Amino acid sequence: MTLAQLDLTGDLARPARLTVLDLLGWPQHRVRVSFECATSGTQVHRFEGPRLYDVLSSAGPGFDPVRRKDRLRFLIAVSGADGHHALLSWAEIDPDFAHAPVLLAVGIDDTPLDRAGPQLVLPQDRCGARHISGIRAIRVDGGYRTLPPVPATPGLGSAEVR
């Protein structure tokens, strides 16, 4: 049996390649989720797996302890085998901020996801658009640059007030 693999990359002290079996090593959480899908109506499922926060924290995100609130600049990009992508901020999953219970599900409706790979589950989302099946990569990025502001061009993109 070939197990799906998930690559943790980016600004991490300990990047890793994980399988569903590896993810079973973290504390498991269960959640019942109801998604409102535009094409197939309401979907209700039970998911089980570790919290995304626990898995990424163990990989050692490269937060700078000298920079105040450095965690807030980190983004998390999740990619699925089917080409779907989702973007989260570290603040969404961090217990000091939003503390969203985002899961890397290793099971759905009591069925293991060994071959398909883990699923990103955001129970707080009403719509399932950020639900990613068959996760192949998660990138943690705190190294993006802030570009200098560009002066506005008069008459372009601004509303004229009369």
Side-chain angles (χ1 to χ4, degrees):
M1 172 167 95
T2 303
L3 299 178
Q5 295 182 339
L6 152 67
D7 290 325
L8 296 181
T9 63
D11 295 327
L12 301 169
R14 294 172 297 283
R17 177 167 283 160
L18 304 172
T19 65
V20 167
L21 294 177
D22 297 324
L23 293 172
L24 289 169
W26 278 272
Q28 301 295 295
H29 300 269
R30 290 187 173 172
V31 65
R32 184 175 181 269
V33 178
S34 176
F35 295 120
E36 293 179 24
C37 301
T39 56
S40 56
T42 301
Q43 302 288 315
V44 179
H45 296 286
R46 292 179 323 277
F47 294 96
E48 180 176 347
R51 288 206 170 143
L52 177 63
Y53 175 82
D54 295 337
V55 173
L56 294 182
S57 291
S58 73
F63 304 139
D64 183 348
V66 176
R67 289 180 69 173
R68 186 172 181 263
K69 300 180 188 176
D70 192 51
R71 295 173 289 171
L72 297 180
R73 70 184 173 92
F74 278 70
L75 299 175
I76 304 162
V78 181
S79 302
D82 60 0
H84 283 96
H85 304 281
L87 188 63
L88 297 90
S89 71
W90 188 270
E92 283 183 82
I93 64 171
D94 192 307
D96 289 337
F97 299 100
H99 198 199
V102 178
L103 295 185
L104 289 176
V106 296
I108 179 173
D109 300 327
D110 299 320
T111 302
L113 294 169
D114 295 346
R115 288 188 183 164
Q119 296 185 9
L120 182 70
V121 178
L122 295 98
Q124 70 277 13
D125 285 6
R126 182 182 60 81
C127 170
R130 291 196 297 175
H131 177 102
I132 304 293
S133 298
I135 298 171
R136 293 298 181 256
I138 298 177
R139 179 169 178 76
V140 177
D141 190 355
Y144 56 90
R145 296 183 308 118
T146 303
L147 300 175
V150 177
T153 304
L156 295 178
S158 59
E160 195 172 307
V161 180
R162 293 181 189 201

